[in-house]
Amino acid sequence: MDTKQAKQKNNILTVIIASSAGTLIEWYDMFLAIILASSLAVNLFPTEGSHFLETLAVVASSFMFRPIGSLIFGNIGDRIGRKYSFLISLILMGASTFLIGCIPGFSSIGWAAPILLLICRLMQGLAISGEYAGAVIYVAEHAPTNKRGFYTGFIQATVPMGLLICLSVIFLTRNSMSEEDFTRYGWRIPFLLSSVLVILSYIIRKKLHESPVFEELKKAGKTSKSPVKEAFTTKGNVKTMLKAIFGGNAAQSSVMQTSLFVTLFFMQRAVKLEETTVLMITGVVTLFSAYFYQYFGALSDRIGRKKVLIGGLISSLILIPLSFYLFMEIGNPDRLTTVHKISNIAVLQMMGVSFLLSLAGAATYGPLGAFMLEIFPTKIRYTSMGFAQNMGNGFIGGATTFITEFIKTSFIVSAVLAPFIGLVYPIFLVGLALIVNILFIPETYQTDLTDDHKDNGDDPHHRTIDSDTV
């Protein structure tokens, strides 16, 4: 290996580490409020009655705000640069998460407490909308054509790793004090600790240079002067965004939310397992499934994005209803209404079922980052991909946890169906994505990211380059 090759390898390694570390921390920040929704409900809402659903609505607000944030950060990323955009998003996310840990309780400031939580969650939604698309594009624009799925797969794997760190911090904090102390003040610690991680990540990212693809575009004077306007007026681009939203992003997010958070709440509230058992099951499954997000991204480099994505969607369509049925049968076959312990064998069985569902989620998410960036033109890639990803992943799919809970509490069905009725939402999105993928979306995995033909409204999927020339 010559000096030039070694330098390139070191560069891509630095890019992956810096990009992945920041994205991992941002997912950690996003997940904290979801995992600690029960604690937030107790502390930041009135003590009379249960306010869990209202808390989930506030927590889910961050997903609703993400499409707006994607246009703001997309405009920055396509006009000024990818690096600058995700540095701002990192700072905004860190500040918002830290401030959630500082919000006084409802007993101190009344309704100002949930209002402040809402503001912080909206800021978090704004931040993550600029982070993910920026990180994926930044890595992909450094990567050779035949390894885009492999390299962007590391960004995809930050979701389960961020959740794993989140669960670990909560588990350690909870077990270092009494339940009363955790409920009173201990829940704040994971939010406050985030500031240390954000500062370290910012220092690492500050040293990065702009992506070579964007630099080339900038030197040629071809960057967009109005990315948001062009994203919605470029011939065929709105249609492409709709395909991306309903052919992958909405379903992927819904599968992810279902395999992680809907499962977690289902085990707590329907199966009635102890919280430590639920955290252990979720944590172990997340740990062992994390590798497969990157694996499926790499696999899509060899066989194509569509084959992997469709395989994940079909598996999800089967496993979502089957998994939740098995969770109930294994964990609470007698339909007990009080929190109870289960045997070690039952715990392992539930881990196995949850792991299969997580694999389906990994197959839908692993190739999605590379697939998304390959279908949009370079000069409006950040804005277009960001809007499609945040509309599908955030606004539509991101609402899965709240909508499944809302459906369960709003529709009167038989006692047998009651715990499962909320699953109609993710199942519908997965079914829709399958139809869109099979009928309307072409393969993208050999698309040239620097080819200007996309800006002219032509089909980008029939123009490829030899990966050996990269």
Side-chain angles (χ1 to χ4, degrees):
M1 179 181 292
D2 61 27
T3 305
K4 183 179 179 181
Q5 287 175 317
K7 185 175 183 294
Q8 288 176 336
K9 183 175 181 181
N10 289 332
N11 284 343
I12 193 67
L13 181 63
T14 303
V15 164
I16 290 170
I17 292 173
S19 301
S20 299
T23 309
L24 183 150
I25 291 166
E26 296 218 17
W27 284 120
Y28 165 87
D29 287 359
M30 280 291 289
F31 292 155
L32 273 177
I34 301 176
I35 302 297
L36 293 174
S38 297
S39 296
L40 294 174
V42 171
N43 286 276
L44 304 183
F45 285 81
T47 54
E48 303 84 24
S50 172
H51 293 276
F52 183 73
L53 189 61
E54 291 92 330
T55 306
L56 280 184
V58 172
V59 168
S61 66
S62 63
F63 293 95
M64 307 298 104
F65 203 60
R66 282 171 55 179
I68 299 172
S70 69
L71 298 179
I72 296 172
F73 281 100
N75 185 64
I76 296 171
D78 282 328
R79 291 180 61 201
I80 302 174
R82 314 328 194 182
K83 171 190 168 181
Y84 186 71
S85 181
F86 66 38
L87 277 177
I88 296 174
S89 71
L90 183 66
I91 295 171
L92 182 61
M93 176 65 84
S96 302
T97 304
F98 181 82
L99 289 174
I100 289 178
C102 300
I103 298 174
F106 188 90
S107 59
S108 299
I109 59 172
W111 284 103
I115 291 173
L116 288 173
L117 174 64
L118 174 63
I119 293 171
C120 288
R121 284 300 289 180
L122 292 178
M123 292 304 99
Q124 285 185 317
L126 186 68
I128 200 68
S129 67
E131 168 60 31
Y132 172 79
V136 170
I137 292 171
Y138 188 77
V139 169
E141 289 182 346
H142 280 84
T145 304
N146 62 332
K147 288 191 175 181
R148 282 200 293 259
F150 174 78
Y151 286 130
T152 58
F154 288 101
I155 301 296
Q156 309 301 81
T158 59
V159 173
M161 293 309 295
L163 175 60
L164 183 62
I165 294 174
C166 179
L167 291 169
S168 300
V169 171
I170 293 171
F171 185 83
L172 292 172
T173 305
R174 186 183 292 275
N175 284 275
S176 66
M177 60 184 68
S178 67
E179 189 64 33
E180 182 181 299
D181 285 343
F182 183 84
T183 301
R184 190 159 47 91
Y185 69 86
W187 63 272
R188 299 179 183 275
I189 295 174
F191 289 100
L192 300 177
L193 282 177
S194 170
S195 59
V196 178
L197 301 174
V198 168
I199 291 170
L200 292 175
S201 180
Y202 179 82
I203 292 171
I204 296 171
R205 279 191 172 186
K206 193 78 167 61
K207 299 177 181 178
L208 295 175
H209 299 288
E210 189 51 76
S211 92
V213 174
F214 183 80
E215 277 295 304
E216 183 182 331
L217 197 73
K218 199 170 185 178
K219 286 178 182 178
K222 294 183 179 179
T223 54
S224 173
K225 291 180 172 55
S226 182
V228 175
K229 180 182 177 181
E230 287 192 42
F232 290 94
T233 58
T234 298
K235 182 181 176 182
N237 203 56
V238 170
K239 186 186 293 184
T240 302
M241 287 193 289
L242 288 173
K243 290 177 182 179
I245 290 168
F246 294 106
N249 276 280
Q252 169 272 310
S253 179
S254 194
V255 172
M256 186 78 69
Q257 294 269 328
T258 302
S259 65
L260 297 176
F261 305 119
V262 177
T263 295
L264 187 143
F265 293 142
F266 186 83
M267 290 180 182
Q268 288 176 334
R269 304 170 73 83
V271 185
K272 299 292 182 181
L273 298 185
E274 291 180 318
E275 190 157 358
T276 53
T277 302
V278 174
L279 289 177
M280 181 178 67
I281 291 172
T282 307
V284 170
V285 169
T286 301
L287 174 63
F288 283 97
S289 64
Y291 160 76
F292 290 94
Y293 289 78
Q294 197 276 330
Y295 168 80
F296 284 118
L299 180 63
S300 71
D301 286 329
R302 300 194 298 273
I303 68 173
R305 317 294 184 214
K306 275 188 68 172
K307 289 179 182 177
V308 179
L309 184 57
I310 289 174
L313 290 171
I314 293 173
S315 299
S316 299
L317 200 60
I318 297 168
L319 286 169
I320 288 174
L322 178 61
S323 295
F324 282 80
Y325 170 77
L326 291 174
F327 288 147
M328 183 64 84
E329 290 302 307
I330 295 168
N332 193 356
D334 299 320
R335 302 297 192 270
L336 301 175
T337 57
T338 56
V339 175
H340 60 280
K341 292 183 177 181
I342 57 175
S343 68
N344 292 334
I345 296 296
V347 170
L348 290 174
Q349 289 174 332
M350 294 190 75
M351 283 181 181
V353 174
S354 183
F355 177 71
L356 291 176
L357 184 57
S358 293
L359 279 187
T364 59
Y365 193 50
L368 196 62
F371 159 74
M372 284 284 290
L373 64 94
E374 288 166 346
I375 63 177
F376 294 113
T378 301
K379 70 176 185 177
I380 54 172
R381 179 172 293 137
Y382 205 135
T383 304
S384 301
M385 177 181 170
F387 181 77
Q389 196 267 340
N390 286 289
M391 178 60 76
N393 187 287
F395 188 81
I396 301 172
T400 297
T401 305
F402 171 73
I403 291 177
T404 52
E405 286 291 321
F406 177 77
I407 292 174
K408 283 195 294 184
T409 57
S410 302
F411 290 87
I412 300 174
V413 294
S414 68
V416 175
L417 290 178
F420 310 103
I421 186 65
L423 298 178
V424 297
Y425 186 69
I427 290 172
F428 167 75
L429 290 179
V430 172
L432 178 62
L434 268 173
I435 295 171
V436 173
N437 254 284
I438 293 170
L439 297 181
F440 303 109
I441 297 180
E443 185 52 77
T444 66
Y445 76 116
Q446 291 183 326
T447 301
D448 181 359
L449 296 186
T450 63
D451 203 333
D452 287 338
H453 68 279
K454 294 179 213 172
D455 300 332
N456 300 322
D458 297 330
D459 185 355
H461 310 298
H462 299 298
R463 293 279 298 275
T464 62
I465 57 176
D466 184 352
S467 60
D468 293 334
T469 65
V470 177

